Amino acid sequence: GENVEQHPSTLSVQEGDSAVIKCTYSDSASNYFPWYKQELGKRPQLIIDIRSNVGEKKDQRIAVTLNKTAKHFSLHITETQPEDSAVYFCATGGYNQGGKLIFGQGTELSVKP
Amino acid sequence: DAGVTQSPTHLIKTRGQHVTLRCSPISGHKSVSWYQQVLGQGPQFIFQYYEKEERGRGNFPDRFSARQFPNYSSELNVNALLLGDSALYLCASSNDRHNEQFFGPGTRLTVL
């Protein structure tokens, strides 16, 4: 069945270091891969997304890479700041999935000053 | 521009009761999706509505239903509430079925 595995579940880094979160998925028909940031008690916020015709996308300190052959994609945050601390979710979507996004289990990122 | 809005913010119900949650999408967006987020987990897809028709349904029992109105706002209804229905219910807005989904603040439902 459809499944998205996300690792690690928790990640602690020092301010200024880089953070990497990885996701693997099972449905080869997936062609849309968004990442959401959710701060405590707040809504998930779309921070970056990538489609299957692109291998990498960057937006300032955030980048996402996609390997469709291996069915995995990753979020890279450089020069981390304390305000990056939150839970990050990866998700997959596709034209054949009726608008459904399938989410990973989340990664709690803690950036220590 | 106003973002996605949801009401109510919090709700407390008892087992067996019925609940209606409401969502207004971003102006110009025609698609609304509903998700359930249990504490410590990622959101789980319940429904998607596009142009007032159901376009997708997740693995939830028939106690869950939804509809979309001519102004593209939406309601999620849950009948015969169970303790396990306690969760944050999120509404997401999109300008079509396959593009970026933007979430509302959610409704925190507690079933006692």
PDB file of all heavy atoms in Angstrom, chain B residues 88-108:
ATOM      1  N   LEU B  88      -6.794  16.860  15.906  1.00  0.00           N
ATOM      2  CA  LEU B  88      -6.839  18.167  15.233  1.00  0.00           C
ATOM      3  C   LEU B  88      -7.335  17.921  13.817  1.00  0.00           C
ATOM      4  O   LEU B  88      -6.747  17.106  13.081  1.00  0.00           O
ATOM      5  CB  LEU B  88      -5.444  18.787  15.213  1.00  0.00           C
ATOM      6  CG  LEU B  88      -5.309  20.159  14.535  1.00  0.00           C
ATOM      7  CD1 LEU B  88      -6.053  21.232  15.330  1.00  0.00           C
ATOM      8  CD2 LEU B  88      -3.835  20.530  14.377  1.00  0.00           C
ATOM      9  N   TYR B  89      -8.407  18.588  13.424  1.00  0.00           N
ATOM     10  CA  TYR B  89      -8.946  18.431  12.077  1.00  0.00           C
ATOM     11  C   TYR B  89      -8.528  19.640  11.250  1.00  0.00           C
ATOM     12  O   TYR B  89      -8.864  20.782  11.566  1.00  0.00           O
ATOM     13  CB  TYR B  89     -10.466  18.263  12.119  1.00  0.00           C
ATOM     14  CG  TYR B  89     -10.835  16.903  12.652  1.00  0.00           C
ATOM     15  CD1 TYR B  89     -10.908  16.679  14.025  1.00  0.00           C
ATOM     16  CD2 TYR B  89     -11.032  15.826  11.797  1.00  0.00           C
ATOM     17  CE1 TYR B  89     -11.197  15.408  14.524  1.00  0.00           C
ATOM     18  CE2 TYR B  89     -11.325  14.562  12.282  1.00  0.00           C
ATOM     19  CZ  TYR B  89     -11.399  14.364  13.653  1.00  0.00           C
ATOM     20  OH  TYR B  89     -11.661  13.112  14.145  1.00  0.00           O
ATOM     21  N   LEU B  90      -7.802  19.339  10.197  1.00  0.00           N
ATOM     22  CA  LEU B  90      -7.214  20.374   9.353  1.00  0.00           C
ATOM     23  C   LEU B  90      -7.914  20.430   8.007  1.00  0.00           C
ATOM     24  O   LEU B  90      -8.227  19.396   7.407  1.00  0.00           O
ATOM     25  CB  LEU B  90      -5.725  20.090   9.126  1.00  0.00           C
ATOM     26  CG  LEU B  90      -4.826  20.188  10.357  1.00  0.00           C
ATOM     27  CD1 LEU B  90      -3.518  19.453  10.110  1.00  0.00           C
ATOM     28  CD2 LEU B  90      -4.561  21.635  10.705  1.00  0.00           C
ATOM     29  N   CYS B  91      -8.110  21.626   7.535  1.00  0.00           N
ATOM     30  CA  CYS B  91      -8.648  21.870   6.210  1.00  0.00           C
ATOM     31  C   CYS B  91      -7.521  22.460   5.371  1.00  0.00           C
ATOM     32  O   CYS B  91      -6.746  23.293   5.860  1.00  0.00           O
ATOM     33  CB  CYS B  91      -9.814  22.851   6.313  1.00  0.00           C
ATOM     34  SG  CYS B  91     -10.403  23.513   4.761  1.00  0.00           S
ATOM     35  N   ALA B  92      -7.404  22.023   4.138  1.00  0.00           N
ATOM     36  CA  ALA B  92      -6.380  22.549   3.234  1.00  0.00           C
ATOM     37  C   ALA B  92      -7.043  23.057   1.964  1.00  0.00           C
ATOM     38  O   ALA B  92      -7.952  22.425   1.427  1.00  0.00           O
ATOM     39  CB  ALA B  92      -5.355  21.473   2.901  1.00  0.00           C
ATOM     40  N   SER B  93      -6.542  24.171   1.480  1.00  0.00           N
ATOM     41  CA  SER B  93      -7.101  24.845   0.316  1.00  0.00           C
ATOM     42  C   SER B  93      -6.117  24.763  -0.844  1.00  0.00           C
ATOM     43  O   SER B  93      -4.902  24.868  -0.648  1.00  0.00           O
ATOM     44  CB  SER B  93      -7.358  26.311   0.712  1.00  0.00           C
ATOM     45  OG  SER B  93      -7.611  27.143  -0.392  1.00  0.00           O
ATOM     46  N   SER B  94      -6.656  24.576  -2.046  1.00  0.00           N
ATOM     47  CA  SER B  94      -5.803  24.497  -3.225  1.00  0.00           C
ATOM     48  C   SER B  94      -6.558  25.095  -4.412  1.00  0.00           C
ATOM     49  O   SER B  94      -7.788  25.025  -4.452  1.00  0.00           O
ATOM     50  CB  SER B  94      -5.448  23.034  -3.498  1.00  0.00           C
ATOM     51  OG  SER B  94      -4.741  22.898  -4.697  1.00  0.00           O
ATOM     52  N   ASN B  95      -5.817  25.646  -5.378  1.00  0.00           N
ATOM     53  CA  ASN B  95      -6.540  26.258  -6.507  1.00  0.00           C
ATOM     54  C   ASN B  95      -6.942  25.239  -7.563  1.00  0.00           C
ATOM     55  O   ASN B  95      -7.724  25.542  -8.450  1.00  0.00           O
ATOM     56  CB  ASN B  95      -5.737  27.406  -7.122  1.00  0.00           C
ATOM     57  CG  ASN B  95      -4.427  26.942  -7.728  1.00  0.00           C
ATOM     58  OD1 ASN B  95      -4.105  25.753  -7.701  1.00  0.00           O
ATOM     59  ND2 ASN B  95      -3.683  27.867  -8.262  1.00  0.00           N
ATOM     60  N   ASP B  96      -6.415  24.036  -7.464  1.00  0.00           N
ATOM     61  CA  ASP B  96      -6.983  22.927  -8.234  1.00  0.00           C
ATOM     62  C   ASP B  96      -6.605  21.645  -7.499  1.00  0.00           C
ATOM     63  O   ASP B  96      -6.081  21.679  -6.405  1.00  0.00           O
ATOM     64  CB  ASP B  96      -6.537  22.926  -9.697  1.00  0.00           C
ATOM     65  CG  ASP B  96      -5.089  22.507  -9.888  1.00  0.00           C
ATOM     66  OD1 ASP B  96      -4.493  21.883  -8.998  1.00  0.00           O
ATOM     67  OD2 ASP B  96      -4.534  22.824 -10.940  1.00  0.00           O
ATOM     68  N   ARG B  97      -6.879  20.520  -8.097  1.00  0.00           N
ATOM     69  CA  ARG B  97      -6.751  19.253  -7.370  1.00  0.00           C
ATOM     70  C   ARG B  97      -5.303  18.864  -7.109  1.00  0.00           C
ATOM     71  O   ARG B  97      -5.019  18.100  -6.204  1.00  0.00           O
ATOM     72  CB  ARG B  97      -7.413  18.140  -8.175  1.00  0.00           C
ATOM     73  CG  ARG B  97      -8.911  18.253  -8.291  1.00  0.00           C
ATOM     74  CD  ARG B  97      -9.428  17.080  -9.076  1.00  0.00           C
ATOM     75  NE  ARG B  97      -9.055  15.816  -8.444  1.00  0.00           N
ATOM     76  CZ  ARG B  97      -9.010  14.671  -9.101  1.00  0.00           C
ATOM     77  NH1 ARG B  97      -9.268  14.613 -10.394  1.00  0.00           N
ATOM     78  NH2 ARG B  97      -8.691  13.570  -8.471  1.00  0.00           N
ATOM     79  N   HIS B  98      -4.385  19.380  -7.929  1.00  0.00           N
ATOM     80  CA  HIS B  98      -3.041  18.801  -7.915  1.00  0.00           C
ATOM     81  C   HIS B  98      -1.950  19.771  -7.489  1.00  0.00           C
ATOM     82  O   HIS B  98      -0.783  19.433  -7.566  1.00  0.00           O
ATOM     83  CB  HIS B  98      -2.719  18.275  -9.319  1.00  0.00           C
ATOM     84  CG  HIS B  98      -3.749  17.317  -9.822  1.00  0.00           C
ATOM     85  ND1 HIS B  98      -3.979  16.111  -9.208  1.00  0.00           N
ATOM     86  CD2 HIS B  98      -4.618  17.389 -10.845  1.00  0.00           C
ATOM     87  CE1 HIS B  98      -4.950  15.482  -9.856  1.00  0.00           C
ATOM     88  NE2 HIS B  98      -5.354  16.225 -10.846  1.00  0.00           N
ATOM     89  N   ASN B  99      -2.321  20.948  -7.059  1.00  0.00           N
ATOM     90  CA  ASN B  99      -1.327  21.933  -6.693  1.00  0.00           C
ATOM     91  C   ASN B  99      -1.140  22.025  -5.188  1.00  0.00           C
ATOM     92  O   ASN B  99      -1.706  21.263  -4.424  1.00  0.00           O
ATOM     93  CB  ASN B  99      -1.686  23.296  -7.287  1.00  0.00           C
ATOM     94  CG  ASN B  99      -1.323  23.366  -8.756  1.00  0.00           C
ATOM     95  OD1 ASN B  99      -0.526  22.582  -9.241  1.00  0.00           O
ATOM     96  ND2 ASN B  99      -1.919  24.287  -9.454  1.00  0.00           N
ATOM     97  N   GLU B 100      -0.353  22.991  -4.795  1.00  0.00           N
ATOM     98  CA  GLU B 100       0.006  23.168  -3.395  1.00  0.00           C
ATOM     99  C   GLU B 100      -1.241  23.275  -2.517  1.00  0.00           C
ATOM    100  O   GLU B 100      -2.219  23.912  -2.895  1.00  0.00           O
ATOM    101  CB  GLU B 100       0.836  24.450  -3.228  1.00  0.00           C
ATOM    102  CG  GLU B 100       2.115  24.491  -4.022  1.00  0.00           C
ATOM    103  CD  GLU B 100       1.946  25.135  -5.385  1.00  0.00           C
ATOM    104  OE1 GLU B 100       0.809  25.126  -5.926  1.00  0.00           O
ATOM    105  OE2 GLU B 100       2.949  25.649  -5.902  1.00  0.00           O
ATOM    106  N   GLN B 101      -1.157  22.644  -1.358  1.00  0.00           N
ATOM    107  CA  GLN B 101      -2.242  22.702  -0.385  1.00  0.00           C
ATOM    108  C   GLN B 101      -1.796  23.553   0.791  1.00  0.00           C
ATOM    109  O   GLN B 101      -0.726  23.328   1.359  1.00  0.00           O
ATOM    110  CB  GLN B 101      -2.634  21.301   0.076  1.00  0.00           C
ATOM    111  CG  GLN B 101      -3.211  20.459  -1.069  1.00  0.00           C
ATOM    112  CD  GLN B 101      -3.791  19.144  -0.609  1.00  0.00           C
ATOM    113  OE1 GLN B 101      -4.092  18.951   0.561  1.00  0.00           O
ATOM    114  NE2 GLN B 101      -3.962  18.221  -1.547  1.00  0.00           N
ATOM    115  N   PHE B 102      -2.650  24.516   1.167  1.00  0.00           N
ATOM    116  CA  PHE B 102      -2.357  25.440   2.256  1.00  0.00           C
ATOM    117  C   PHE B 102      -3.350  25.166   3.381  1.00  0.00           C
ATOM    118  O   PHE B 102      -4.563  25.173   3.167  1.00  0.00           O
ATOM    119  CB  PHE B 102      -2.469  26.890   1.769  1.00  0.00           C
ATOM    120  CG  PHE B 102      -1.509  27.205   0.655  1.00  0.00           C
ATOM    121  CD1 PHE B 102      -1.912  27.122  -0.662  1.00  0.00           C
ATOM    122  CD2 PHE B 102      -0.203  27.557   0.931  1.00  0.00           C
ATOM    123  CE1 PHE B 102      -1.034  27.388  -1.702  1.00  0.00           C
ATOM    124  CE2 PHE B 102       0.700  27.824  -0.094  1.00  0.00           C
ATOM    125  CZ  PHE B 102       0.286  27.743  -1.416  1.00  0.00           C
ATOM    126  N   PHE B 103      -2.801  24.942   4.561  1.00  0.00           N
ATOM    127  CA  PHE B 103      -3.629  24.519   5.680  1.00  0.00           C
ATOM    128  C   PHE B 103      -4.207  25.676   6.479  1.00  0.00           C
ATOM    129  O   PHE B 103      -3.573  26.731   6.616  1.00  0.00           O
ATOM    130  CB  PHE B 103      -2.815  23.631   6.637  1.00  0.00           C
ATOM    131  CG  PHE B 103      -2.617  22.227   6.120  1.00  0.00           C
ATOM    132  CD1 PHE B 103      -1.508  21.902   5.363  1.00  0.00           C
ATOM    133  CD2 PHE B 103      -3.558  21.242   6.376  1.00  0.00           C
ATOM    134  CE1 PHE B 103      -1.325  20.615   4.877  1.00  0.00           C
ATOM    135  CE2 PHE B 103      -3.387  19.945   5.897  1.00  0.00           C
ATOM    136  CZ  PHE B 103      -2.272  19.647   5.143  1.00  0.00           C
ATOM    137  N   GLY B 104      -5.397  25.423   7.028  1.00  0.00           N
ATOM    138  CA  GLY B 104      -5.993  26.309   8.001  1.00  0.00           C
ATOM    139  C   GLY B 104      -5.453  26.004   9.390  1.00  0.00           C
ATOM    140  O   GLY B 104      -4.662  25.064   9.568  1.00  0.00           O
ATOM    141  N   PRO B 105      -5.888  26.754  10.407  1.00  0.00           N
ATOM    142  CA  PRO B 105      -5.363  26.579  11.767  1.00  0.00           C
ATOM    143  C   PRO B 105      -5.880  25.323  12.455  1.00  0.00           C
ATOM    144  O   PRO B 105      -5.327  24.906  13.472  1.00  0.00           O
ATOM    145  CB  PRO B 105      -5.850  27.833  12.486  1.00  0.00           C
ATOM    146  CG  PRO B 105      -7.053  28.260  11.721  1.00  0.00           C
ATOM    147  CD  PRO B 105      -6.806  27.889  10.303  1.00  0.00           C
ATOM    148  N   GLY B 106      -6.930  24.727  11.903  1.00  0.00           N
ATOM    149  CA  GLY B 106      -7.436  23.486  12.474  1.00  0.00           C
ATOM    150  C   GLY B 106      -8.512  23.696  13.529  1.00  0.00           C
ATOM    151  O   GLY B 106      -8.662  24.776  14.101  1.00  0.00           O
ATOM    152  N   THR B 107      -9.262  22.620  13.764  1.00  0.00           N
ATOM    153  CA  THR B 107     -10.222  22.555  14.864  1.00  0.00           C
ATOM    154  C   THR B 107      -9.786  21.426  15.780  1.00  0.00           C
ATOM    155  O   THR B 107      -9.628  20.273  15.334  1.00  0.00           O
ATOM    156  CB  THR B 107     -11.644  22.267  14.356  1.00  0.00           C
ATOM    157  OG1 THR B 107     -12.113  23.378  13.592  1.00  0.00           O
ATOM    158  CG2 THR B 107     -12.591  22.019  15.535  1.00  0.00           C
ATOM    159  N   ARG B 108      -9.552  21.749  17.044  1.00  0.00           N
ATOM    160  CA  ARG B 108      -9.159  20.727  18.027  1.00  0.00           C
ATOM    161  C   ARG B 108     -10.427  20.118  18.612  1.00  0.00           C
ATOM    162  O   ARG B 108     -11.173  20.781  19.325  1.00  0.00           O
ATOM    163  CB  ARG B 108      -8.318  21.370  19.121  1.00  0.00           C
ATOM    164  CG  ARG B 108      -7.982  20.457  20.293  1.00  0.00           C
ATOM    165  CD  ARG B 108      -6.965  19.409  19.941  1.00  0.00           C
ATOM    166  NE  ARG B 108      -5.681  19.961  19.535  1.00  0.00           N
ATOM    167  CZ  ARG B 108      -4.686  19.239  19.039  1.00  0.00           C
ATOM    168  NH1 ARG B 108      -4.838  17.940  18.885  1.00  0.00           N
ATOM    169  NH2 ARG B 108      -3.545  19.814  18.690  1.00  0.00           N
TER     170      ARG B 108
END
